[in-house]
Amino acid sequence: MTAVTMPQTLGKANFRTCPVTALKVDVAAERLIIANAVAAVVFLAIGGLGALLISLTRWQAIHLLPADWFYRLVTAHGFDMLVAWIVFFEIAGLYFGSTILLNARQVLPKVAWFAFALMAAGAVLTNVIVLMGLADVMFTAYVPLKAHPLFYLGIILFAVGALVAVILFFGNLVTAKREGRYTGSMPLMTYGLMTAAILAVYTLISGALAYVPAFLWSLGLIPEVDPGIYRNLFWSFGHPAQQINLAAMVSVWYALAAMTVGATPLNEKFSRLAFVLYILFINLGSAHHLLTDPGPSFAWKATNTSYAMYLAVLGSLIHAFSIPGAIEVAQRRKGFTRGAFEWLRKGPWREPGFSSLVLSMVLFGWVGGVTGVVIGTEQINMLAHNTLRIPGHFHATVVSGTTLAFMGLTYYLIPLIFRREVKLKKWASWQPYVFGIGMLLVSIGMIGAGLQGAPRRHWDITFTNSPLAASLPGATQITLAIMGVGAVIAIVGGIMYVSVVLISILTGKRTEPSRLTLVMAQANPLVEDAIPNQNKEVHGKLTPRGTIILTFSFLGFLMAYYLFNWWLLGRAWFIR
Amino acid sequence: MLAPERIWWKPLHRYEKSWLIVAFVFCVFLTVMMPLWYFTGRQNVPVETYRVTPEQFMQLTEDFTKKYQVSDINGAPVVAPPPNSDVFMVGRRWQWYPIVQLQKGQVYRLHLSSLDLQHGFSLQPNNLNLQVLPGYDYVATIVPTQAGEYSVICNEFCQIGHHLMTGRIIVTE
Ligand code: HEM
Ligand SMILES: [Cu+2]
Ligand SMILES: [Cu+2]
């Protein structure tokens, strides 16, 4: 532990010292973290209600909602989840990483509250307009599909608020450095969050370039917006936004690994290199959404979709080794050295931070990552574009991956930041499994339906009322039922999460935390076990042999699915 | 998780090095596959695109329909163009128009555009999917490789009748 001791009154801020981690906590930052995290959970709950209703509609045997409400709630669900829940939580994370982890203070807390107010107002406005039926356009709002002007305005307000918060994050970092709040390098989690924040600036500017003209057009101030150009700008915002989520999630992974088993990065260089690759290459990814669009050339599409030689994928492959590797070495240090996998079997599986970390990594990588690389291949995309394979992919990434990781982290914020005792600990122990398994079924069901051609955002794949009959293979009914069952399970997991959080912060005892972990025997792996890895030690019994087996099997699986898809494509009509 | 020492610029472990190399080679492989398929594969994403107004495109489609119509199904014209010709199909709320009849193994230039919103051309059960935008004439050079009745559905949300939007391509031997 290299944190320096600092007089409590330095700077203008009001600090308390965390009894568990010995970190200095700026009370102003803490309040902001609480507000943003609570807003995130509220929107998750609203979006989750939408998720239940639309899933039960797409489950063709149940077909719950009428068409107009289905489309309306898909719009609301997309916005509340992908924008409101995720971004509010990330802003909470940015404040956390730039103040508490660095013993530093929050700069300009009033401005930060203003940013929060903008985001909250924007999110509420957008929801109201959508639920009033004035913006049945999906959150992508592809022109010339036109929504009520206040729909765009709500999103713009939200984005401006987020941009202000991101700028404050950089302000916090600079101030922490200048005031000498920490010694040594920036912690890896903060470094990852900084990656996310750099991507966010670029992303939010593209978002403005897409939404502001659409807003003016909806007001009748400009005559038209070109649909092709809009798509390009929209996805220059929409896709990098996912890389923000990726970078934030990976940062949370490193944090959870440290908190639950005392894992320290095997090699800081290796991990930081991976984040640099994200910054440099991942912004090219907007092309993923334009692969079957008229306009761009093959060269443009192929270069952009592969992030210049898949170098951002390389970044993810590095993390795919370095995080499990760090966990493995930490576990082996505790004596779990038998065979290749004793370290994994003996993991603290009842500790929600650990199980959510492992499930998040497995589902993100093996389902989300694999399908992402495959459908992002220029030609293969013709088999997947706008089918249910697309939501199948991102419910594995941003839901099973990012959302689950964020859920896992929340359980530790309750005692440390909210300073409340966690209630319903048993539920917290089970929750990652319930949510993870449910989402796995949702993703697999969607991907299976999409492979058979089932379109996304579609109310009736039996085409019963169409003037000209059409049909999809009968097995889509089965895959959609798998999705539906998974959705119900995942919703139960979501309710468990929201219950634990709300019941704890509303009725949990106010206490100073005395331990870091929730249910495992060991109280504070972060401080007790976190031994920086010296390369020469990671030999013999400490060598991460299990991890190398896991990563190579992963690569084999990815290769198999990739080649299977080329084979599928080879059976289609000739087209050029 | 807490601030590490400054000197983290350490050499890589043996395993890290081998994983990095294998992962990098894999990335190169993924990169090479796309141009390789582009030059040797038979299913590639069309690139030929022209600017067109909805009115112009509708006119082209009407002319095409008049010229080659052979019958109709429920009032929708069935159009059978000769091989190697230009075929026009327009997406509009909520129909793909007209129904097209092609011959197996022959080459056609299929023009796609929209009269109103964005639509998603989705050929089923073959499962080939292309984005269709108003203002853009997207030309796919296709060879139907199996005979049968194919549905065209819409997989880009185009308002309340989205799920009603269908069309058909009939492929004869
Ligand atoms: C219990 C959890 C969830 C279930 C069961 C669920 C289910 C669904 C379903 C059925 C759709 C509609 C698919 C379609 O017809 O195209 C959908 C769309 C979507 N979901 Fe979820 N979802 C869940 C959680 C989430 C979360 C946590 C996020 C984001 C972090 C998310 C992001 C989205 C997005 C962006 C869309 C696309 C909306 C659009 O096409 O415009 N979902 N979800
Ligand atoms: Cu349509
Ligand atoms: Cu449609």
Side-chain angles (χ1 to χ4, degrees):
Chain A
M1 174 122 221
T2 48
V4 282
T5 33
M6 187 71 55
Q8 297 286 66
T9 50
L10 200 102
K12 291 176 281 278
N14 177 10
F15 286 100
R16 69 177 175 88
T17 302
C18 174
V20 176
T21 57
L23 287 165
K24 304 275 174 307
V25 178
D26 177 355
V27 177
E30 185 174 75
R31 289 203 195 101
L32 282 161
I33 294 168
I34 290 177
N36 281 282
V38 169
V41 174
V42 168
F43 283 103
L44 179 72
I46 300 173
L49 180 62
L52 179 65
L53 298 173
I54 58 180
S55 303
L56 292 182
T57 307
R58 289 230 61 166
W59 184 353
Q60 198 72 37
I62 296 186
H63 214 219
L64 182 69
L65 296 173
D68 55 346
W69 272 99
F70 170 76
Y71 293 126
R72 199 160 294 155
L73 289 186
V74 174
T75 308
H77 171 75
F79 175 81
D80 285 335
M81 292 300 208
L82 195 64
V83 183
W85 144 252
I86 290 279
V87 177
F88 269 122
F89 199 94
E90 279 165 357
I91 300 296
L94 288 182
Y95 291 142
F96 176 76
S98 63
T99 60
I100 297 180
L101 277 188
L102 303 178
N103 293 301
R105 69 186 170 89
Q106 173 67 45
V107 297
L108 303 175
K110 287 222 176 72
V111 180
W113 281 107
F114 173 67
F116 175 75
L118 278 181
M119 287 169 67
V124 170
L125 181 60
T126 300
N127 267 283
V128 168
I129 295 296
V130 169
L131 294 178
M132 283 169 69
L134 297 173
D136 294 338
V137 294
M138 306 292 138
F139 81 100
T140 44
Y142 288 141
V143 299
L145 209 52
K146 196 184 273 179
H148 192 281
L150 291 179
F151 170 82
Y152 305 98
L153 186 65
I155 295 179
I156 292 168
L157 289 179
F158 186 91
V160 171
L163 189 58
V164 172
V166 170
I167 291 167
L168 290 177
F169 166 81
F170 288 114
N172 286 345
L173 289 188
V174 171
T175 314
K177 182 99 209 155
R178 215 181 34 222
E179 295 179 355
R181 300 284 175 157
Y182 62 100
T183 55
S185 291
M186 195 186 282
L188 192 55
M189 182 182 185
T190 309
Y191 191 87
L193 289 172
M194 187 178 75
T195 306
I198 291 172
L199 295 172
V201 172
Y202 164 93
T203 301
L204 290 165
I205 291 171
S206 304
L209 288 177
Y211 273 118
V212 171
F215 173 54
L216 298 176
W217 166 72
S218 72
L219 286 170
L221 295 178
I222 52 178
E224 65 177 347
V225 176
D226 182 272
I229 293 171
Y230 176 86
R231 287 172 64 81
N232 196 337
L233 288 171
F234 181 87
W235 287 114
S236 303
F237 147 73
H239 201 85
Q242 304 323 309
Q243 319 307 343
I244 302 172
N245 301 337
L246 170 65
M249 172 188 67
V250 173
S251 309
V252 171
W253 284 351
Y254 279 108
L256 287 174
M259 286 158 53
T260 56
V261 294
T264 46
L266 292 180
N267 188 319
E268 294 266 349
K269 169 165 70 173
F270 202 44
S271 303
R272 284 172 201 237
L273 169 70
F275 280 121
V276 172
L277 288 173
Y278 284 169
I279 298 184
L280 292 180
F281 295 107
I282 224 155
N283 281 341
L284 300 172
S286 69
H288 285 173
H289 304 261
L290 313 179
L291 291 178
T292 64
D293 274 25
S297 66
F298 167 76
W300 185 87
K301 288 175 176 173
T303 311
N304 284 285
T305 194
S306 65
Y307 310 117
M309 269 178 48
Y310 288 94
L311 290 178
V313 171
L314 185 62
S316 292
L317 289 173
I318 291 178
H319 291 305
F321 177 86
S322 63
I323 302 177
I327 297 173
E328 177 168 1
V329 171
Q331 287 286 85
R332 283 176 179 272
R333 255 205 200 100
K334 293 178 196 152
F336 301 129
T337 53
R338 222 161 337 116
F341 293 112
E342 193 194 11
W343 62 276
L344 190 59
R345 271 199 320 277
K346 298 272 170 72
W349 290 102
R350 290 177 50 237
E351 183 69 26
F354 184 77
S355 55
S356 60
L357 165 65
V358 174
L359 287 169
S360 167
M361 288 195 72
V362 169
L363 297 177
F364 182 91
W366 288 70
V367 186
V370 166
T371 55
V373 166
V374 169
I375 61 183
T377 305
E378 203 241 5
Q379 294 93 340
I380 293 175
N381 188 262
M382 272 191 300
L383 298 178
H385 179 67
N386 274 352
T387 69
L388 268 177
R389 285 174 80 173
I390 307 299
H393 154 70
F394 64 69
H395 281 81
T397 53
V398 76
V399 189
S400 316
T402 312
T403 298
L404 189 50
F406 287 2
M407 286 172 163
L409 184 68
T410 319
Y411 296 127
Y412 301 87
L413 297 180
I414 295 171
L416 297 181
I417 305 287
F418 291 77
R419 282 180 286 162
R420 298 277 186 176
E421 183 196 16
V422 176
K423 302 279 257 198
L424 302 174
K425 284 203 181 126
K426 271 242 167 58
W427 286 30
S429 269
W430 280 101
Q431 189 271 337
Y433 297 100
V434 178
F435 189 76
I437 289 168
M439 281 328 291
L440 175 64
L441 294 178
V442 169
S443 298
I444 290 179
M446 284 179 169
I447 292 166
L451 277 167
Q452 304 170 76
R456 68 185 289 194
R457 303 169 161 178
H458 199 278
W459 182 67
D460 183 14
I461 56 147
T462 61
F463 305 94
T464 316
N465 299 322
S466 301
L468 196 61
S471 68
L472 289 170
T476 39
Q477 301 278 352
I478 299 168
T479 43
L480 286 173
I482 294 175
M483 180 207 79
V485 172
V488 172
I489 299 174
I491 293 288
V492 171
I495 293 173
M496 288 165 78
Y497 168 77
V498 174
S499 313
V500 174
V501 174
L502 293 185
I503 292 176
S504 302
I505 62 179
L506 295 177
T507 71
K509 222 182 6 250
R510 257 200 172 283
T511 50
E512 282 300 312
S514 56
R515 54 185 291 145
L516 187 63
T517 56
L518 294 189
V519 293
M520 61 196 273
Q522 202 185 357
N524 195 343
L526 177 63
V527 173
E528 291 157 14
D529 294 345
I531 306 162
N533 289 303
Q534 301 294 330
N535 249 325
K536 53 185 183 310
E537 293 175 13
V538 185
H539 281 318
K541 283 196 169 320
L542 290 190
T543 316
R545 272 178 293 148
T547 298
I548 204 90
I549 297 176
L550 289 177
T551 48
F552 274 95
S553 343
F554 169 73
L555 216 50
F557 176 63
L558 171 52
M559 188 65 139
Y561 188 66
Y562 182 69
L563 295 177
F564 164 69
N565 273 275
W566 281 115
W567 175 79
L568 268 186
L569 182 65
R571 296 173 1 133
W573 288 8
F574 302 166
I575 181 168
R576 181 170 276 278
Chain B
M1 181 171 179
L2 307 172
E5 284 170 62
R6 223 159 172 135
I7 29 161
W8 38 262
W9 206 245
K10 293 189 200 109
L12 295 178
H13 186 268
R14 176 166 53 90
Y15 275 8
E16 284 167 346
K17 228 181 265 165
S18 40
W19 175 247
L20 189 61
I21 291 168
V22 170
F24 182 73
V25 169
F26 185 72
C27 291
V28 172
F29 164 71
L30 293 178
T31 309
V32 172
M33 270 309 279
M34 288 188 290
L36 191 68
W37 190 276
Y38 182 74
F39 290 112
T40 62
R42 289 177 301 196
Q43 293 84 6
N44 270 289
V45 182
V47 285
E48 196 178 339
T49 307
Y50 304 97
R51 284 277 179 190
V52 69
T53 66
E55 296 73 34
Q56 284 166 342
F57 197 84
M58 193 60 219
Q59 193 57 51
L60 287 165
T61 311
E62 291 291 11
D63 296 346
F64 159 76
T65 307
K66 238 177 248 137
K67 198 156 161 203
Y68 300 120
Q69 179 168 1
V70 289
S71 62
D72 62 289
I73 297 177
N74 302 341
V78 178
V79 184
N84 297 313
S85 65
D86 289 285
V87 178
F88 292 85
M89 188 180 272
V90 35
R92 61 183 177 197
R93 279 171 293 179
W94 289 287
Q95 180 190 41
W96 292 105
Y97 175 92
I99 295 171
V100 177
Q101 183 176 318
L102 308 177
Q103 290 166 38
K104 179 182 154 184
Q106 299 294 337
V107 183
Y108 299 91
R109 282 164 52 79
L110 174 63
H111 295 250
L112 296 168
S113 191
S114 162
L115 294 193
D116 39 52
L117 301 173
Q118 304 194 14
H119 296 283
F121 173 89
S122 178
L123 180 72
Q124 301 298 342
N126 202 33
N127 200 10
L128 281 176
N129 304 284
L130 296 171
Q131 188 75 22
V132 176
L133 307 179
Y136 292 75
D137 173 7
Y138 199 6
V139 189
T141 304
I142 57 166
V143 180
T145 50
Q146 296 106 3
E149 285 213 352
Y150 289 83
S151 299
V152 181
I153 62 176
C154 178
N155 66 10
E156 184 59 79
F157 174 70
C158 52
Q159 294 179 330
I160 188 66
H162 168 50
H163 49 274
L164 301 174
M165 180 160 170
T166 53
R168 194 167 296 171
I169 296 181
I170 301 162
V171 183
T172 56
E173 283 291 344

